[in-house]
Amino acid sequence: MARERNVKLEALLKEHGLKHHELADEVNRLAEDEFGERVNCTDRHVRRWISGEVQWPWARYLLPLQHIFGRSPEAMGFVPRKSSRIPPPPRPAPVKEQRPVRRREFVFVAAGLAAALGIDAIPAAGRLGTSDVERIRAIVPALYTHDHALGGGALHEVAAQALRRVHHALNHCTYGERTERALYAAAGDLAASAGWFAYDAGQQEDATSLYNEALQAGMLAGDGMLQARVWSNLAMQARLLDRDQEALRIGRAAVETRQAKGDPWLMALLHCRQAVGHARTGDRTRAERSLIRAERAYDRVQGQPAAWLSFLTPAELTGLAGAAHQALGQHARAQQLTASALAMLEPRFERNRVYYTAQRAQALLDDGDIEEAAAEAGRAVGIAGRVQSERIRGKLGDLRLQMRRHMDVPAAADFLEQTRQMGA
């Protein structure tokens, strides 16, 4: 078989700003510190993995690599042989010091959460009733409570597992017409949530598939609010993929739905996201108009929002306004707004705190305040240990790459050294 270069692993090194010897050093450190094993990895090993000379590393290397990049061997571009065995989760070495929560601990969190949510209690046969639907619907609010702290990387597989159980129930149980509509609405809610977690975890193909499933379920259930929600998330995904005009068109379709117009919570969020979209295309007038509309909509909110909208607080609105000003090139205003958002942010929104700390660092950097930007970026990295979000990893990675242009500034050099030692 012809040798094929491992472009996936090569891209991961570039994304994380790692040279061959730096990855080898990190593999050695993790193998010894986390797993209690000396492995003597060198840059030669890394070159052989990238060239395709070695298509499936030994397990003693795969474990640390999975730990570093948070991906399966196949997702890192490795090709298993028939005899290849994916290494099991490692047994932790004796604790030497307090360390941030890392990838393997998310596996245990997810497993415990699946049990706590009672996913196995979803019926696999028999007749379903209202209590069964309520049990399924209760899964989503519980998942979002953890999402605010942990990020989608820790949850998308749990949500997908729950969704598979619901699919089985839909196809193997009996139920009346009213229960059927409620079941499709619950399945759509779960699919949209799983799509969001996959999006946050960087699994964009899975996210698209789940969003499409949620749209279909929303149509079968006659749930217009669910459909508007999915359109909003699809717009965010298009923006992440640098398809800004597509994102604006999708967002406009969501804004114009009857359900969005009747729900000020959703309307406030949609207008905020449209503001960022207009700003990214350089349309200052429409961006500012959308921010005003978002504020007016939020002034009309009452009661509690749906679980998936529970992150929409004054802090979030302010942070999104900061993102819009940042995209418009108004960096000083962006960092001021983002600082205000951070001051208002509740402790439970740990993922958003990392996100907006990185956003403020970016605004400071773009405004020319290198020392304060490096300090803020360091704070973002310092509090990111519990959060499993590829979006945030991407923002921190971008900061690190840009900070390299300012290595003559001691604070920037210190930040780069800090993140190198942490494997960030």
Side-chain angles (χ1 to χ4, degrees):
M1 182 182 294
R3 180 192 303 178
E4 290 189 13
R5 191 173 183 82
N6 188 339
V7 294
K8 290 184 179 179
L9 182 62
E10 193 170 30
L12 283 170
L13 263 75
K14 183 177 180 181
E15 176 188 340
H16 291 263
L18 290 170
K19 296 185 180 349
H20 293 177
H21 73 274
E22 291 175 333
L23 178 60
D25 289 345
E26 186 66 5
V27 168
N28 290 330
R29 184 189 68 78
L30 278 171
E32 185 168 1
D33 289 359
E34 297 288 332
F35 312 142
E37 181 182 9
R38 290 180 178 272
V39 297
N40 297 319
C41 183
T42 68
D43 56 347
R44 179 172 176 270
H45 289 94
V46 179
R47 286 197 301 273
R48 295 179 72 199
W49 300 336
I50 291 176
S51 70
E53 182 180 348
V54 173
Q55 295 187 324
W56 188 266
W58 293 106
R60 61 178 176 265
Y61 300 131
L62 275 178
L63 282 172
L65 286 169
Q66 288 178 267
H67 206 74
I68 292 165
F69 295 120
R71 297 170 190 258
S72 68
E74 290 89 345
M76 290 186 285
F78 296 121
V79 181
R81 301 179 296 273
K82 288 184 179 180
S83 60
S84 297
R85 182 176 64 89
I86 296 178
R91 291 177 297 176
V95 177
K96 300 176 182 178
E97 57 178 319
Q98 282 294 107
R99 306 184 65 87
V101 176
R102 291 180 180 269
R103 174 74 178 179
R104 63 186 170 87
E105 290 165 293
F106 283 102
V107 175
F108 302 140
V109 169
L113 182 57
L117 291 173
I119 290 173
D120 290 341
I122 297 174
R127 187 169 181 84
L128 301 180
T130 303
S131 61
D132 299 303
V133 175
E134 291 305 314
R135 185 181 300 116
I136 294 168
R137 295 205 75 104
I139 293 172
V140 168
L143 284 170
Y144 272 101
T145 299
H146 293 277
D147 173 59
H148 297 321
L150 298 176
L155 300 173
H156 75 280
E157 181 52 39
V158 180
Q161 179 184 344
L163 189 60
R164 288 192 291 270
R165 296 283 302 196
V166 174
H167 285 163
H168 186 90
L170 278 165
N171 288 296
H172 293 87
C173 297
T174 60
Y175 37 79
E177 184 176 342
R178 180 179 296 181
T179 300
E180 179 183 51
R181 290 170 66 91
L183 278 170
Y184 275 114
D189 190 20
L190 193 51
S193 302
W196 164 258
F197 302 144
Y199 160 83
D200 194 44
Q203 308 293 326
Q204 300 310 323
E205 289 185 8
D206 287 349
T208 300
S209 176
L210 288 160
Y211 286 153
N212 288 335
E213 182 178 331
L215 278 175
Q216 179 177 317
M219 293 174 64
L220 291 171
D223 190 334
M225 181 63 72
L226 172 59
Q227 295 174 61
R229 166 191 175 185
V230 176
W231 285 122
S232 173
N233 285 352
L234 282 169
M236 273 195 75
Q237 186 185 40
R239 188 167 299 123
L240 179 74
L241 299 174
D242 293 324
R243 302 200 296 259
D244 292 313
Q245 291 294 345
E246 177 185 332
L248 283 170
R249 286 192 290 271
I250 295 173
R252 190 182 311 122
V255 166
E256 291 173 355
T257 60
R258 176 175 56 83
Q259 288 76 18
K261 291 177 179 178
D263 188 320
W265 288 99
L266 178 56
M267 188 60 83
L269 176 63
L270 292 174
H271 279 309
C272 272
R273 289 179 174 174
Q274 285 295 88
V276 176
H278 287 307
R280 283 171 60 100
T281 60
D283 194 333
R284 176 177 176 177
T285 300
R286 287 183 176 175
E288 292 177 345
R289 189 182 301 154
S290 291
L291 288 175
I292 292 171
R293 289 172 175 168
E295 291 179 5
R296 288 175 179 169
Y298 199 77
D299 285 342
R300 295 188 288 112
V301 301
Q302 294 180 351
Q304 295 297 316
W308 75 274
L309 277 168
S310 57
F311 70 96
L312 192 61
T313 65
E316 182 71 13
L317 293 178
T318 306
L320 287 171
H325 284 279
Q326 174 71 3
L328 287 168
Q330 299 168 345
H331 307 307
R333 180 61 177 152
Q335 76 89 5
Q336 291 168 0
L337 285 167
T338 310
S340 296
L342 287 166
M344 291 187 285
L345 199 62
E346 299 171 41
R348 63 191 173 108
F349 296 113
E350 191 169 351
R351 189 253 317 277
N352 284 6
R353 182 166 299 282
V354 182
Y355 187 90
Y356 283 124
T357 302
Q359 177 173 296
R360 182 166 184 257
Q362 184 68 65
L364 287 162
L365 186 62
D366 292 340
D367 201 36
D369 192 343
I370 311 303
E371 290 192 358
E372 184 59 30
E376 194 76 345
R379 281 190 280 272
V381 171
I383 61 176
R386 277 178 49 84
V387 176
Q388 188 78 356
S389 167
E390 283 300 311
R391 288 188 305 141
I392 290 175
R393 287 176 68 92
K395 287 181 80 72
L396 294 175
D398 289 344
L399 277 170
R400 193 174 192 277
L401 287 173
Q402 294 172 52
M403 208 69 74
R404 286 181 173 179
R405 304 170 191 162
H406 307 283
M407 291 187 67
D408 56 322
V409 179
D414 289 345
F415 168 74
L416 290 169
E417 178 61 19
Q418 172 199 3
T419 52
R420 187 192 70 79
Q421 290 179 352
M422 296 177 67

